[in-house]
Amino acid sequence: MAPEGERATEAAAERSSGKPETTASERVHAGRAMRENDVVLLEMNDGERATFATLRAGKVIDLGKRARAPAEAFLGAPFGSMYEARHNTGEVERIGATTEVINEETDDEEAFAAPLADERSNKNVPNTEHGAQTLTDSEIAALKREFTGEEMVEIIAAYSKTFEEKTAFAQEKYKARKLKKHMTKILARFPSPRVVCEQYFYENPSKTSYMRFDSLSMLMNMANVGAHGQTLVLETCGGLVLGSIMHRMGGFGRICNGFVGTNPTGMEVVQNMNFDPTHYDSVRHASLSGLIEARQKGAVEADTTRAKSMETTEPSTAEKKERVYMKMKFANDGDMSDFTQHGFSSLVIASLSVEPKAVLEQLLPLCASSASFAVWFNASQPLAEAYYYLRNSNLAVNLSLVEPFLRSQQVLPGRTHPVMTTDAGSGGFILSGTYVGGVNTNTPIEANKKPKREENS
Amino acid sequence: MAPEGERATEAAAERSSGKPETTASERVHAGRAMRENDVVLLEMNDGERATFATLRAGKVIDLGKRARAPAEAFLGAPFGSMYEARHNTGEVERIGATTEVINEETDDEEAFAAPLADERSNKNVPNTEHGAQTLTDSEIAALKREFTGEEMVEIIAAYSKTFEEKTAFAQEKYKARKLKKHMTKILARFPSPRVVCEQYFYENPSKTSYMRFDSLSMLMNMANVGAHGQTLVLETCGGLVLGSIMHRMGGFGRICNGFVGTNPTGMEVVQNMNFDPTHYDSVRHASLSGLIEARQKGAVEADTTRAKSMETTEPSTAEKKERVYMKMKFANDGDMSDFTQHGFSSLVIASLSVEPKAVLEQLLPLCASSASFAVWFNASQPLAEAYYYLRNSNLAVNLSLVEPFLRSQQVLPGRTHPVMTTDAGSGGFILSGTYVGGVNTNTPIEANKKPKREENS
Amino acid sequence: MSHVRGTMLYASPAPETDRERLIRENDLVVVVEGFNAAVAQRIRIGETFVSRHGRFPHAALVGVAFGTKIRASDGRGFVHVCAPTPELWTKVLAHRTQILYAPDIALVSAEMELRPGSTVLESGTGSGSLTHALARCVAPTGKVWTFEFNETRVKAAEEEFRANGIDEVTTVTHRDIERDGFPEELASTADAVFLDLPGPQKCVASVARSLRPNGVLCTFSPCIEQVHKTIVEMKKHGFADIKTVELLGRHYDVEGRCLQTDLSAPLSKETKGGWRKDQKRPRDGATEDSASTLTETVVAHPQQRLQSHTAYLTFARLIPAPENWTETLAERAKTSESGNEEVLKRAAEFLAKRRGTKKRYRPQSDAPKQPSKHVISNPDDYSD
Amino acid sequence: MSHVRGTMLYASPAPETDRERLIRENDLVVVVEGFNAAVAQRIRIGETFVSRHGRFPHAALVGVAFGTKIRASDGRGFVHVCAPTPELWTKVLAHRTQILYAPDIALVSAEMELRPGSTVLESGTGSGSLTHALARCVAPTGKVWTFEFNETRVKAAEEEFRANGIDEVTTVTHRDIERDGFPEELASTADAVFLDLPGPQKCVASVARSLRPNGVLCTFSPCIEQVHKTIVEMKKHGFADIKTVELLGRHYDVEGRCLQTDLSAPLSKETKGGWRKDQKRPRDGATEDSASTLTETVVAHPQQRLQSHTAYLTFARLIPAPENWTETLAERAKTSESGNEEVLKRAAEFLAKRRGTKKRYRPQSDAPKQPSKHVISNPDDYSD
């Protein structure tokens, strides 16, 4: 682990130089060029589908629905670039922001009436579009080989029996739908924690335990995760929470990835976040029971700690493989003693497998006095029990149990309303607070009748 | 209790007559004239404050903030009428719908920018209004004795140092605020369950256990409360839930107000709802343990039932007083036997004092096969435990645990958004389902291995 | 009145003794196949209900009590046969349009203050989801007049209402309410009106004619712009007490869950793989032989798939105007226009006299106004 | 880097051994007086903090560990002295304006993808509630440039930022961003921009100039009409990936509760009077000597008093345009206008040829169009 002082000096040097913030920003900003071995999230047609891709020269990336693109189409362009994949030629062309210019000033009767009828399943007239196309499927397929996506849309509209009867609004909508079918728009996203979290949440949520992005953001803030902190994390969200902490701390400070049992759980998600070695170097895996034992024994009896930490550094082959790939080390004796001596400034817990109350009871004593902690769960009750315990045992203040209620809004002329259905109906619940059980001394004005020590062990 | 058949005949007669629905509607509609002894909810200035008043000739009603009105001002006018109380003269004058005609077409910059600054606490300029008035308080008081509310507003604006510097929008708002101060607008509401529920919820919520109106409405619907039903209710919401059931059943069918222990809890809220004797006559108070016992003993052994029901008909003096006032009787032997023989078609539970699981376990067997039930609680966990029990013991199907999430919306030109803060942050949770444990016979294709009986007792 | 069979109008108790309500031919039955899966069946001897759970001949259901658990004739699985209610009907009905769901239906019914004897108008009928609940509210002496623009849907609704027995209090009519308004015969008869139309603002005037004094108008509009237009019309036509709300029904999943408390033991199968769906908990708190470090607990969490918006519900009341109100209003408007200066003059005189009397002098209101100390450099944007 | 005292920029561990962080003079301390009641105190020897809990001389706090429970010098009550964090600061700061609260702050910080080294622009500074959290995100190598229109607030913020130690990475400037835009010196330097202004649409062009490629713009607007105007501008200025959300923090109360299970016993004091607030439950599950029919349980229920709306948060990304994109766009527009007929002609030829080849004849596209079978009587209202 790089000594704290070194990075601090570097930071100070940057601050004192001519345009320090630009330099530092340049190094981390999400609009930098895509480079060999970078992971990029390719998002098709505004979220219709998406795929993580590692950019390697010569590689052809499968975009789904028979679309493909060579890695070279992306390498060298800034993250955040947008592309069009043309189905007729197989070309991938870089474009700018959306070309559709909607006349937002139109606020006439049509814009009000039409979308209403439209959105509420054509409540007023049966859907006549079906079967209104005079071109056969095979003709359309043949035309696609000759014409571009935009051209196809014009052709298909011209051969529709009902197109001309539609209102201008409905024609617009019809064309947009057809365009989507014949041309793929690609957004090359930098895999920030926000982007990675949303991608898993909507596509593979069990991998990240249904962690929603707003909840993840609250975990970071409520636990006061930031540079130069010493953060203990217990998560079974595939590494998403760990990655988010790494991103927030930027290699400044130390992260202890505490695990239940003898081996860390899978942390594959971290690999998708384009972290540099500095970030990986700030993380140590450590067995939670080892940490607890080391803390109880104290620094003077380091022997047992060593034995324990040695034990936990013998992972299975599969585990080893992952560990090597992720460039994260297991805590050694020095790390363990550092962790337990200084205590953690932040504690983050995000797991549906462990009981929040029991875990807090065991892990809070590893924290520094006045440390911030935040616990996520997808139901309120286990957190309520923990809350009740912490309040009644005077282990924490500033306790708060919050359910983040997030809603997306459609904002369109005459058609503004919250989105109708969502797969993000719950972001879970977050218990947070300030640990006040970690004080050893009885000051002259200390109020407690019995020493704090007793309560915390 | 009036025999079912009698009312049914009456209803049938109404249906076959010339304009039957008008007649029936006439009798119950909420816009009928206010009569002697009616309860009316007088709501001042769009909900600024409100008071229940019983209209008795010669009575002077206190409207709060030193405003008063004679009952005669209301008697004879339709419920729903609107009034202005003028502070300078003490007059109460009946008016029509709001006189303020807002120019809703105005959608200019001002309407956008001004309210924003305004709503977000004058974020851009310090509040200069304070101290800008050149009239002294005593002068204003003297003027009020000479001028009407509208006139006062004009005078006060003219003597404000800052009024002319305000935008037209801010001037409008300033005047509206001043008008509120010098004139009271009164809405004479019919005390429907909706109106009564909201009044208690915002003014005296502990009386009705924080029952929110949308939750109350869901209790009625999910428990399938309607005419000709036989409804069992256990509530400690001051009579609000019972009253809502009486309103829904309109005197058709029977209601059993089941109570815990030996006496009904307070049901005063029912008195505010202007029910006629037919409504009161459809209700019987009964001890829940008495009902359970009667059900277990069966109709053949009615003796014990009688003893029990006799016992519960000896209320304390205070209880007696209330009972008499409310014109509701205790169940006699015949009622008890009717209730237990036919079973209840609907079960409604709304109490923060009893455990939902235990109560459902004991009361569901009193229901008819395929009866609907709905239980309200202000936290999800006790209902979740009940849900889990009912599902695993196969006592109910169509189980649903719902949290109604209600939000009010401000709709104004350029200033549309959900209301910023609310005192209605929770409506509680509702568990509902269909009781399927009440079937006695093993039909040829009946699937259960052991008789249902055993499970329900 | 005896038990009304095969209709869902009345939540009657069991007419037979011992709490059983028996299924007869032509009854409507809601067959519950499992969690959140149900279908409607009209009992016809000779017909058979076939599902993934097996075959269920209708004949075998006759004489069985509503609520019974029925095993398939081919022994494969079982279903529950439930009595229909408006809420169950909403779950099983044929969708001819988007429909209203239970929370909105409940709120609408109650905010419109419906009770036996009420008259309510509805447009459009749509799939009849709301209509059934309205009929239950106003039965047996009230009336639901429901109007639908689409003739095919009118026919389908008519048939359904008859079969379900709500035709006793419900009449469905083919009519374009936005264009033609409600029928004049219904003027001043309605206690409440419900509008679910693309342009509700077009018929507010007609609604005002149809309502009794203090009647309630409720509109159901998905988009906020529509709400705005409708409220403008409401204010023009004598409505007040206007409020707009939205109601989400947040459904919760309930599950038994094993949580680990010992941090030294590896995460077990029970705790690692997420939720143990539908696993039954032993009755009476008897614990399984699982490791002692597992705490079993029941949890409720909101479902991820959520109807996150249905529509904005706007409620307004028709305020009964006093006699000659129109004239009074006009007079008031005149006074406020011309009377302003006159009032200020009178006030100035009154004040001058009073100030003289009290021997206290204050700056006159006509003294030159001082500029505000807080100069705003960009007054267009930053007005208070 | 050693522990940074008296600032809330770094969540440092305890530099002393045994997990204690000690309070020194000039440190900022958040004094927690009870549930949801806290105040900020700057430690100055000689000063005394006085509250309803008693008197707390600052001198007595020096050398005490953050997190300690302190009894008042007059023995009346106690408080906890906590280390400041941006979240605690949001609870105790002086309100000069409406402020952002924890949930919005968390979402904004994270959606803007802030990390150590990022550059972020903010307008307006307001009470500095968000600024502190932004500073924590970008420290130690990043930068927060925050702009405020009101000079008094600029001065107050400047002083606060210095005292709280976030001035290391934060600069507050007096500037009217709506009128003047962001400074040209900051062009293409920002990773993210946050706007909380009455007219954010007025400065979208300036934001586009200030952002790096793929930078994020976030606007905070209470009213939906404002959001609409801003999105129109965003689309004009090269932004895409636009989304609007709102986030409510629903706070829950947690209480121990006695629930009665026996229906024959009268409701007891414990169950009748609502919640038993803050009553402690005996540890280790030892039950009280209450009647056996009382079940004690911990429940969480949403608080009734709720911030039910703060603002709509709109996020958008500046899409890095390829070289010559403006020219390409213009060309495309030209093609789509003139090229339409040409394309259709080519398509007709292609189809004719193909149909000839395949010997299949189909109705020509130029055949007279048949009227739709579904005649719409009021096409203005009922278009599909």
Side-chain angles (χ1 to χ4, degrees), chain A residues 250-273:
Chain A
F252 299 93
R254 288 187 287 200
I255 302 166
C256 177
N257 178 39
F259 55 83
V260 177
T262 49
N263 287 307
T265 52
M267 291 286 145
E268 308 86 270
V269 173
V270 171
Q271 300 167 27
N272 286 333
M273 296 187 184

Side-chain angles (χ1 to χ4, degrees), chain D residues 283-297:
Chain D
R283 305 246 183 108
D284 309 317
T287 47
E288 288 169 314
D289 58 341
S290 59
S292 62
T293 64
L294 291 185
T295 306
E296 207 189 30
T297 184

Side-chain angles (χ1 to χ4, degrees), chain C residues 167-187:
Chain C
D167 60 327
E168 207 179 317
V169 295
T170 311
T171 300
V172 54
T173 306
H174 181 212
R175 190 181 177 95
D176 180 350
I177 296 297
E178 279 191 14
R179 196 186 54 189
D180 305 329
F182 288 102
E184 279 307 316
E185 309 90 84
L186 295 176

Side-chain angles (χ1 to χ4, degrees), chain B residues 129-402:
Chain B
E129 195 190 303
H130 205 71
Q133 182 54 252
T134 60
L135 297 174
T136 65
D137 287 350
S138 73
E139 279 174 343
I140 289 173
L143 283 161
K144 269 171 82 167
R145 286 187 291 272
E146 301 291 322
F147 293 89
T148 70
E150 286 108 329
E151 288 168 351
M152 279 305 296
V153 172
E154 295 298 330
I155 296 165
I156 286 168
Y159 285 77
S160 158
K161 276 193 296 194
T162 53
F163 183 78
E164 288 202 357
E165 288 160 17
K166 288 177 198 287
T167 63
F169 176 85
Q171 287 187 346
E172 197 96 350
K173 208 168 163 182
Y174 176 90
K175 282 191 179 180
R177 208 161 54 227
K178 293 294 168 194
L179 190 59
K180 232 177 202 177
K181 205 169 157 184
H182 299 286
M183 191 161 64
T184 300
K185 201 167 78 179
I186 305 164
L187 180 60
R189 289 183 177 280
F190 184 89
S192 68
R194 149 192 170 178
V195 164
V196 172
C197 184
E198 290 204 28
Q199 174 62 13
Y200 278 96
F201 185 80
Y202 289 108
E203 295 305 320
N204 192 6
S206 64
K207 183 87 188 170
T208 52
S209 290
Y210 281 85
M211 174 66 73
R212 202 172 65 183
F213 186 62
D214 54 318
S215 301
L216 180 60
S217 78
M218 283 189 71
L219 271 184
M220 295 303 106
N221 275 29
M222 299 317 287
N224 193 26
V225 173
H228 297 310
Q230 185 155 286
T231 304
L232 174 60
V233 54
L234 158 53
E235 67 129 300
T236 56
C237 300
L240 176 63
V241 178
L242 173 60
S244 183
I245 292 170
M246 290 164 71
H247 182 267
R248 267 297 165 89
M249 293 178 60
F252 300 93
R254 288 187 287 201
I255 302 166
C256 178
N257 178 38
F259 55 82
V260 177
T262 49
N263 287 306
T265 52
M267 291 287 146
E268 307 88 88
V269 173
V270 171
Q271 299 167 27
N272 286 332
M273 295 187 185
N274 287 343
F275 286 127
D276 61 26
T278 324
H279 285 89
Y280 283 107
D281 196 37
S282 65
V283 183
R284 292 292 179 273
H285 300 302
S287 129
L288 289 169
S289 51
L291 275 171
I292 293 164
E293 208 175 307
R295 187 258 187 231
Q296 282 165 344
K297 296 268 159 77
V300 282
E301 297 176 45
D303 278 0
T304 333
T305 314
R306 183 174 299 118
K308 190 77 190 174
S309 76
M310 290 304 287
E311 184 189 313
T312 60
T313 50
E314 300 290 359
S316 67
T317 326
E319 204 61 56
K320 231 181 234 160
K321 208 170 137 195
E322 190 201 314
R323 178 167 66 99
V324 169
Y325 184 84
M326 288 180 56
K327 307 157 199 139
M328 288 191 278
K329 299 195 186 82
F330 279 71
N332 63 23
D333 295 359
D335 298 329
M336 291 298 261
S337 129
D338 266 11
F339 286 149
T340 54
Q341 270 196 340
H342 297 292
F344 295 99
S345 57
S346 298
L347 170 63
V348 179
I349 299 169
S351 169
L352 299 180
S353 304
V354 294
E355 195 195 59
K357 172 177 166 291
V359 172
L360 283 169
E361 202 174 354
Q362 294 171 77
L363 299 188
L364 277 177
L366 297 173
C367 291
S369 59
S370 203
S372 303
F373 64 91
V375 190
W376 172 86
F377 204 84
N378 75 349
S380 62
Q381 191 63 15
L383 298 177
E385 304 264 356
Y387 183 119
Y388 197 68
Y389 163 74
L390 293 175
R391 184 174 59 192
N392 290 349
S393 57
N394 294 313
L395 284 174
V397 292
N398 299 320
L399 283 167
S400 141
L401 176 54
V402 176

Side-chain angles (χ1 to χ4, degrees), chain B residues 92-124:
Chain B
V92 178
E93 187 190 343
R94 193 172 151 214
I95 59 171
T98 177
T99 54
E100 38 159 342
V101 177
I102 295 160
N103 182 5
E104 299 279 350
E105 311 308 321
T106 313
D107 189 272
D108 55 9
E109 277 303 294
E110 189 194 327
F112 276 100
L116 276 168
D118 208 88
E119 283 180 358
R120 308 202 60 228
S121 288
N122 282 308
K123 65 181 287 199
N124 294 300

Side-chain angles (χ1 to χ4, degrees), chain A residues 153-219:
Chain A
V153 172
E154 295 299 330
I155 296 165
I156 285 168
Y159 285 78
S160 159
K161 276 193 295 196
T162 52
F163 183 78
E164 286 201 359
E165 288 161 16
K166 288 178 198 284
T167 62
F169 176 84
Q171 288 186 347
E172 197 94 354
K173 206 166 165 182
Y174 176 89
K175 283 191 178 182
R177 210 162 51 226
K178 293 296 169 193
L179 190 58
K180 236 180 201 174
K181 205 169 156 186
H182 299 287
M183 191 161 63
T184 301
K185 202 167 76 180
I186 306 163
L187 179 59
R189 289 184 178 278
F190 184 89
S192 68
R194 149 192 170 178
V195 165
V196 172
C197 184
E198 289 202 29
Q199 173 61 15
Y200 278 97
F201 185 80
Y202 288 108
E203 295 305 321
N204 191 7
S206 65
K207 182 86 188 173
T208 52
S209 291
Y210 281 86
M211 174 65 72
R212 202 172 66 184
F213 186 63
D214 54 319
S215 301
L216 181 60
S217 79
M218 283 189 71
L219 272 184

